[in-house]
Amino acid sequence: MEEGNIVKWLKKEGETVNAGDALCEIETDKAVVTMESSDDGILAKIMMEEGSKNVRLGTIIGLLVEEGQNWKQVEIPAETGDPSSMAPLMAPPVAAPASPSVGILASAATKMEHGLRKLPVRLSPAARYIVETHGLDPNNIIPSGPRGILTKEDALNLLQQKQKSKAAESRPVVSPAPPQLTVVPLAPQATTVSSVYPRPTFPPISIPGQPAAQGIFTEVPASNIRRIIAKRLTESKTTVPHAYATTDCDLEAVLKLREELAKDDIKVSVNDFIIKATAVTLKQMPDVNVTWDGEGPRQLQSIDISIAVATDRGLITPIIKDAATKGVQEIAASAKALAKKARDGKLLPEEYQGGSFSISNLGMFGISGFIAVINPPQACILAVGRARPELKIVEDEEGNEKLQQHQLMTVTLSSDSRMVDDKLASMFLETLKANLENPIRLALC
């Protein structure tokens, strides 16, 4: 998270605040979370009102004073430095003599004021070599690797910034030449040629409440989650070598099993069977249950399946943890609860951060098949289409061939070629197909 929106303040100016009290609701890139106070005191000043958009991480959003002090006369600290940096979070607040304990309500607790940037930065081996060789300060750049690791690319960007700054310092300053005025005579109005579609001299502006004219458009503000999705998808398609493999799975056995379970009032969906079959396949093939940590693959012990859920604010992927150890009915209950929390914007960070494998199912929208974009640092994502009837030639018990209708479903695996090559991806789909077409095998794991 780099920025957020202030949705609602739960405390008013002058109200007493205890440690652990809910102060405000903040919309992050994935959900709406409640920010709690880490100290006791009085909320003296709200710096960012409700509805404030794109508030950068580390921005002062409110001030606290100790009980007994005059909160109405609190001195507002001056903003210093670049607002996009983390400086406001570390700078101690400037307080009036009557209220020396003004607090900063930022995205982190006030106890982190003295040296959040002084914490040791985790570096990859290649990044450490570049930093030590060129004398770079790793605190001058935000790490882009998983779990806050400074990658080789980050170190190279830092080196490039240092070289650019040196070049700018050594570049001579040349005073600009005085501008020369050119007089352009106005053309006579009689010779002006009118056009049926005159080109506007300024960009047209959309005015609410009035009909749109030709060439007018309306800018739609992007939510935090939309901007994060756009950023992550762009990074995925430009930095991850995608490879694709597709197969058709016969769902006859799964559909019959669903009917039998429905008689006992056990309601599970085809997608629940797909999640379970995928988890079992990952357990059988642990080489696919991997993530990329910036330098190489990392095999995970837990099988955590991220399921794509469409919301009004964008796509989000809550996680069913340890899916291989859960039954289909338990997976169904977890998926339903997570999907509801996702649509209500109430997911906790630990419920959507992480995951080892993603599944995106568009079958309920009538989509026969599609290709999904990998969710880094995961290695794979499975795109699931709808079940469709098709005729297949089968042999009966006597060996006679006949046409029989089957319910087929197309699945496409997008894999990161750095971790999962074509052979491994093909074997994974072959095993997944066998598990889905023989659901009794799911009970063995």
Side-chain angles (χ1 to χ4, degrees):
M1 172 187 170
E2 296 180 359
E3 57 185 30
N5 302 332
I6 307 297
V7 178
K8 182 181 180 181
W9 277 95
L10 305 178
K11 293 287 186 180
K12 298 180 181 179
E13 292 182 358
E15 284 194 29
T16 301
V17 177
N18 296 320
D21 285 356
L23 290 172
C24 62
E25 293 179 352
I26 299 177
E27 181 188 15
T28 67
D29 54 351
K30 294 290 186 180
V32 177
V33 296
T34 301
M35 179 180 172
E36 297 180 352
S37 174
S38 59
D39 295 309
D40 299 335
I42 298 175
L43 181 58
K45 181 67 175 177
I46 294 177
M47 305 292 292
M48 291 290 175
E49 300 293 337
E50 293 182 3
S52 298
K53 302 289 185 181
N54 305 328
V55 180
R56 296 289 298 176
L57 185 68
T59 303
I60 301 174
I61 63 174
L63 303 175
L64 276 180
V65 298
E66 294 182 358
E67 293 186 14
Q69 295 179 348
N70 190 350
W71 60 271
K72 294 183 179 180
Q73 295 182 0
V74 63
E75 182 178 340
I76 300 176
E79 293 286 349
T80 58
D82 185 2
S84 64
S85 68
M86 292 292 294
L89 181 60
M90 277 63 68
V94 180
S99 54
S101 59
V102 180
I104 297 179
L105 301 181
S107 59
T110 53
K111 295 180 181 179
M112 299 173 63
E113 291 174 2
H114 304 287
L116 178 61
R117 296 286 286 183
K118 300 301 181 181
L119 294 177
V121 179
R122 299 174 60 190
L123 292 86
S124 66
R128 184 179 300 278
Y129 174 79
I130 296 173
V131 168
E132 293 178 351
T133 302
H134 297 277
L136 304 176
D137 185 0
N139 290 311
N140 291 337
I141 192 170
I142 299 177
S144 63
R147 298 170 299 281
I149 295 177
L150 191 82
T151 64
K152 176 183 177 182
E153 290 76 11
D154 297 331
L156 291 175
N157 291 335
L158 192 59
L159 177 61
Q160 188 177 12
Q161 293 175 9
K162 182 179 180 181
Q163 293 173 347
K164 286 183 178 179
S165 62
K166 286 185 177 179
E169 292 175 359
S170 61
R171 188 181 299 118
V173 179
V174 181
S175 59
Q180 297 182 357
L181 299 179
T182 302
V183 179
V184 180
L186 294 176
Q189 293 187 4
T191 61
T192 302
V193 179
S194 62
S195 172
V196 179
Y197 301 104
R199 182 176 181 179
T201 58
F202 55 87
I205 301 175
S206 174
I207 301 177
Q210 296 187 9
Q214 183 179 3
I216 289 181
F217 62 90
T218 301
E219 288 191 2
V220 179
S223 62
N224 281 349
I225 188 172
R226 291 286 184 187
R227 285 186 281 107
I228 293 298
I229 289 173
K231 179 181 177 181
R232 287 182 61 82
L233 290 181
T234 302
E235 290 177 353
S236 177
K237 289 296 289 185
T238 54
T239 62
V240 176
H242 283 59
Y244 310 102
T246 303
T247 190
D248 288 332
C249 301
D250 192 338
L251 294 181
E252 284 295 320
V254 169
L255 295 177
K256 289 181 180 178
L257 182 56
R258 279 191 68 208
E259 293 178 0
E260 294 297 325
L261 294 175
K263 295 178 181 178
D264 295 331
D265 201 25
I266 299 176
K267 297 180 180 180
V268 291
S269 67
V270 173
N271 197 55
D272 300 327
F273 280 98
I274 296 171
I275 295 172
K276 176 62 177 178
T278 302
V280 170
T281 306
L282 288 172
K283 184 176 181 180
Q284 295 169 336
M285 302 182 63
D287 289 342
V288 184
N289 193 50
V290 292
T291 58
W292 185 264
D293 68 352
E295 296 296 329
R298 173 174 294 184
Q299 190 173 112
L300 304 179
Q301 301 299 321
S302 177
I303 298 175
D304 302 329
I305 304 295
S306 302
I307 54 174
V309 176
T311 69
D312 294 337
R313 300 183 302 130
L315 195 69
I316 192 169
T317 52
I319 301 169
I320 299 179
K321 297 185 178 181
D322 294 324
T325 63
K326 293 183 170 126
V328 179
Q329 190 175 9
E330 188 178 358
I331 289 176
S334 298
K336 185 177 180 180
L338 288 171
K340 185 178 186 307
K341 292 182 70 175
R343 295 187 180 98
D344 294 340
K346 296 182 178 179
L347 283 175
L348 300 176
E350 59 267 22
E351 292 176 324
Y352 60 80
Q353 292 179 352
S356 58
F357 191 100
S358 292
I359 297 177
S360 180
N361 190 340
L362 295 181
M364 65 285 295
F365 299 106
I367 304 300
S368 298
F370 67 103
I371 296 174
V373 181
I374 296 172
N375 183 22
Q378 297 178 9
C380 299
I381 182 171
L382 187 70
V384 181
R386 68 180 177 90
R388 64 188 187 280
E390 285 193 11
L391 292 176
K392 291 177 61 177
I393 298 177
V394 297
E395 292 185 359
D396 57 17
E397 297 178 354
E398 299 177 357
N400 300 320
E401 293 183 347
K402 64 177 182 178
L403 284 174
Q404 185 174 342
Q405 180 174 287
H406 291 260
Q407 295 289 331
L408 299 184
M409 177 186 68
T410 299
V411 295
T412 300
L413 181 71
S414 302
S415 55
D416 186 341
S417 296
R418 297 173 297 180
M419 297 176 278
V420 179
D421 57 22
D422 293 341
K423 179 181 178 181
L424 185 58
S426 301
M427 293 172 59
F428 177 85
L429 283 182
E430 183 181 20
T431 307
L432 175 66
K433 176 182 172 73
N435 289 332
L436 267 178
E437 295 181 350
N438 301 278
I440 192 66
R441 299 175 59 172
L442 305 181
L444 302 178
C445 294

